[in-house]
Amino acid sequence: MVDTSRSNQVGEFRGLAGPYWSLRPICGGQEWEAEPEHVRPADPIERLRAQNARCNARSRGEVL
């Protein structure tokens, strides 16, 4: 899923939190809440970019 209210941040749907959707970054990290009207399905290329960014950050020792 893509949260368009957060600069198109890509995340996995984790569940409902009241009226909000709970999303988590593709390769792990802290969850956030998004309004359903600001969420859309991620394109395959968006998912790939998110996974690649996370792997690159981990290889540099950065915590995301």
Side-chain angles (χ1 to χ4, degrees):
M1 307 306 290
V2 177
D3 183 357
T4 58
S5 69
R6 286 185 172 235
S7 302
N8 294 325
Q9 186 172 357
V10 178
E12 297 174 330
F13 178 78
R14 304 301 289 171
L16 297 173
Y20 302 103
W21 287 5
S22 181
L23 302 175
R24 182 180 66 91
I26 293 288
C27 295
Q30 186 173 357
E31 294 183 0
W32 76 92
E33 293 178 353
E35 295 179 11
E37 61 267 14
H38 295 289
V39 177
R40 64 172 174 78
D43 295 330
I45 192 69
E46 290 172 318
R47 290 183 58 84
L48 182 61
R49 285 182 185 141
Q51 291 170 338
N52 191 46
R54 175 70 176 170
C55 290
N56 286 341
R58 288 177 61 188
S59 72
R60 293 188 301 265
E62 298 173 8
V63 178
L64 295 178

